Amino acid sequence: MTDHSGRRMLKGFSMLSGASSAATVMSILTNKAIAVIAGTDGIALMGLFRSLGSLVKSGLALGYSTLFMQQISVARSSEEARLTISAAGQLLVLQLLIVIALAGTCSGLLEQWILGPEGGEGRRLIIRVVLLMAFGNLILDTIQAMLKGSGSIPALTWVQIATAGSSLALILPLLKLGDLGLAVNVGSGSVVGAAVGGIWLWRLYRPGFRDLFAKAGTDLLARATGPSLVLCGLAIVLMGTQLGMRSIIGRSWGLAALGHFTAALLIVETMVTLLMSSIRTQLVSALGATAERAEKDALTARMLNLGMVAVALSGAIIILAGGPLLRLLFSDRFEAASALMAVLCLSTFSQAVSWCCHSLFLHRSDVRSLLVLDASWCPIMLCGTAIAARLDWDLASLAWVYVASYAFQAALYLAAALRSFGRGFFGPREAATAAFAAGVLFAGFGTTQLATPATFPVWALATAACIIALLHLSGLKGWFLES
């Protein structure tokens, strides 16, 4: 039986989370430099450029990166893994040609959509740079996907640190270039991270030059075309929703409001990604190496509990830190976003549930279910944002639309996972953990946003009680003792 003891899995989670934490600190310093030097407009443009880069990257990826991770995770020999690497290399060549064509023909259209009608050759150059940087991000994602499938924790650790460290080292020189520097920042760190990841991938599987252009790799790409197109549609739906939401906020509330929303959302989503990507990497590779259904259920339940506990405690800390955290990570001009960030943190519990359920469908390569699920909740977020703008709501109301959208997503994912995989991974203990994880977040929110001097002790005691119950009922105490 494959060793998936608490010791091994907790060690892997700790290594990945530690590396992600270090990378996050460097990313925060990068964003702080942008906030201090370029202000709220700089943060807003950074959010727009990164959203555009993510949309282009997801469309070009055609969903293959996810399939590459799944293929590597179930590969039983180095030869099978080299076949996947061959397919990835051939696909990257095709993607580079598409990026060059897009930069030459569609930069003007994208410039008007993202930056408004006041155009010019300089602004088109910025869009072209974002497109090229998106390709750098695409290379990094492809290499990281294969490293995640291999379960190589040290490789992923070094790649994350190299990516964030190089982005931080380059940000001050890039900011001297103005908006063009912000465009380069979209993928400057990814180029370095991809080089480091490529070296690790070669050390693991030793692919030769002929392997990169093997006919077997082309055949693998052809067989994966159907699932990859579905995943491509999924990525476009997700990234298009994020970009559309930011575009509506910028046009309706202004760049300053978009800067506040982006700053608050950046902290929340960075925290969720930092914790849940580490958990998903462990879960997908472990599920690929496990044959027994009961063991798969136990693994999923354990990682689901860990995810809910981690995001609930981290989300409560962010809510309680509030304004001081925004001043520390950005500048004094962003302190007004603390109430907005407190509302957004309430979505973290729902996102943790969705991440774990998503891993189950990904392990089984059930990409059509993923597309249907995400296509069902994304319109709620986008339409809710448009309605809030039409009715002239404030940003706090818009944040509640965001929370409601993710709550609906979690409910959909959990219902679909229970129907497809049974109830073995979500029993009474997981239900109790979910209830108290939500309780921790809402109690923390009440302590900072709803409490009066007279009721503050009650809210504080409720928060502490929920945290104690969460740690007790989640079953993680036994896991830590085992480790």
Side-chain angles (χ1 to χ4, degrees):
M1 179 181 292
T2 307
D3 176 23
H4 297 303
S5 65
R7 178 189 297 272
R8 180 177 180 273
M9 296 188 71
L10 186 59
K11 180 180 178 181
F13 171 73
S14 300
M15 287 184 64
L16 280 176
S17 296
S20 297
S21 299
T24 300
V25 169
M26 290 184 278
S27 297
I28 287 171
L29 292 174
T30 301
N31 293 330
K32 185 173 180 64
I34 297 173
V36 171
I37 297 175
T40 55
D41 287 0
I43 291 292
L45 286 174
M46 177 197 70
L48 287 172
F49 291 160
R50 289 181 180 177
S51 294
L52 175 60
S54 297
L55 177 62
V56 173
K57 178 193 70 177
S58 301
L60 288 174
L62 299 174
Y64 277 105
S65 294
T66 304
L67 295 176
F68 293 154
M69 178 175 67
Q70 193 270 341
Q71 289 290 324
I72 292 286
S73 70
V74 299
R76 301 305 178 189
S77 65
S78 296
E79 287 73 16
E80 292 183 18
R82 284 196 290 268
L83 176 62
T84 303
I85 295 173
S86 171
Q90 295 178 37
L91 182 63
L92 285 173
V93 173
L94 176 61
Q95 289 163 336
L96 176 60
L97 297 176
I98 295 174
V99 167
I100 294 173
L102 283 175
T105 59
C106 299
S107 57
L109 178 63
L110 290 172
E111 172 233 337
Q112 292 185 17
W113 180 38
I114 301 300
L115 301 177
E118 299 84 9
E121 187 59 32
R123 302 185 77 178
R124 290 193 183 95
L125 175 62
I126 290 173
I127 297 299
R128 288 168 184 154
V129 170
V130 172
L131 294 176
L132 292 176
M133 292 298 102
F135 178 69
N137 294 339
L138 178 60
I139 298 174
L140 176 63
D141 275 11
T142 301
I143 293 175
Q144 279 189 310
M146 291 186 284
L147 290 175
K148 288 178 181 178
S150 71
S152 179
I153 306 300
L156 291 169
T157 298
W158 282 107
V159 169
Q160 288 187 43
I161 293 175
T163 302
S166 57
S167 181
L168 175 60
L170 293 171
I171 187 60
L172 291 179
L174 289 177
L175 286 175
K176 295 179 181 179
L177 300 177
D179 293 350
L180 179 61
L182 290 175
V184 175
N185 177 253
V186 169
S188 57
S190 297
V191 176
V192 178
V196 174
I199 294 172
W200 273 97
L201 197 64
W202 181 84
R203 291 177 61 184
L204 285 172
Y205 300 112
R206 304 284 179 175
F209 182 77
R210 287 182 296 178
D211 291 327
L212 296 178
F213 299 97
K215 184 178 183 300
T218 306
D219 295 337
L220 175 61
L221 285 177
R223 291 195 302 271
T225 297
S228 71
L229 290 177
V230 176
L231 283 171
C232 176
L234 171 63
I236 290 175
V237 167
L238 292 174
M239 295 301 103
T241 299
Q242 292 288 337
L243 182 59
M245 181 182 69
R246 284 179 167 85
S247 179
I248 292 172
I249 294 173
R251 291 174 180 271
S252 301
W253 283 276
L255 277 181
L258 177 59
H260 286 151
F261 189 88
T262 301
L265 193 60
L266 188 62
I267 294 175
V268 175
E269 291 190 340
T270 298
M271 180 269 289
V272 174
T273 303
L274 184 154
L275 295 172
M276 296 309 301
S277 62
S278 302
I279 290 175
R280 184 169 70 176
T281 299
Q282 288 281 295
L283 182 57
V284 171
S285 61
L287 290 175
T290 304
E292 297 294 331
R293 180 73 257 171
E295 188 176 357
K296 290 179 185 287
D297 288 340
L299 287 169
T300 305
R302 178 172 282 183
M303 300 308 278
L304 176 59
N305 280 335
L306 178 60
M308 290 190 291
V309 170
V311 299
L313 296 180
S314 301
I317 291 172
I318 291 176
I319 290 173
L320 295 173
L325 182 62
L326 284 162
R327 288 198 305 270
L328 174 66
L329 301 183
F330 294 95
S331 69
D332 293 342
R333 286 174 287 182
F334 290 85
E335 188 175 1
S338 59
L340 188 65
M341 185 172 66
V343 178
L344 294 175
C345 279
L346 300 178
S347 70
T348 57
F349 154 75
S350 302
Q351 293 186 57
V353 175
S354 300
W355 273 72
C356 287
C357 295
H358 183 279
S359 300
L360 291 174
F361 289 103
L362 181 60
H363 163 66
R364 203 171 66 177
S365 298
D366 190 359
V367 294
R368 288 178 174 80
S369 294
L370 293 177
L371 178 61
V372 171
L373 289 169
D374 283 323
S376 300
W377 73 269
C378 281
I380 294 179
M381 179 180 289
L382 197 58
C383 292
T385 304
I387 292 173
R390 184 66 179 267
L391 298 179
D392 199 24
W393 290 355
D394 57 14
L395 281 180
S397 300
L398 179 61
W400 283 107
V401 171
Y402 183 90
V403 173
S405 300
Y406 272 108
F408 183 68
Q409 179 204 41
L412 279 179
Y413 261 105
L414 184 58
L418 290 173
R419 181 175 181 180
S420 299
F421 303 98
R423 299 180 179 272
F425 74 95
F426 195 84
R429 170 171 283 176
E430 287 68 42
T433 302
F436 280 99
V440 169
L441 290 170
F442 278 94
F445 177 80
T447 302
T448 59
Q449 304 298 316
L450 304 177
T452 63
T455 61
F456 179 83
V458 177
W459 281 105
L461 286 175
T463 304
C466 287
I467 291 174
I468 293 171
L470 177 65
L471 294 176
H472 177 71
L473 292 173
S474 64
L476 295 181
K477 179 181 178 181
W479 188 5
F480 280 99
L481 289 176
E482 175 191 349
S483 301

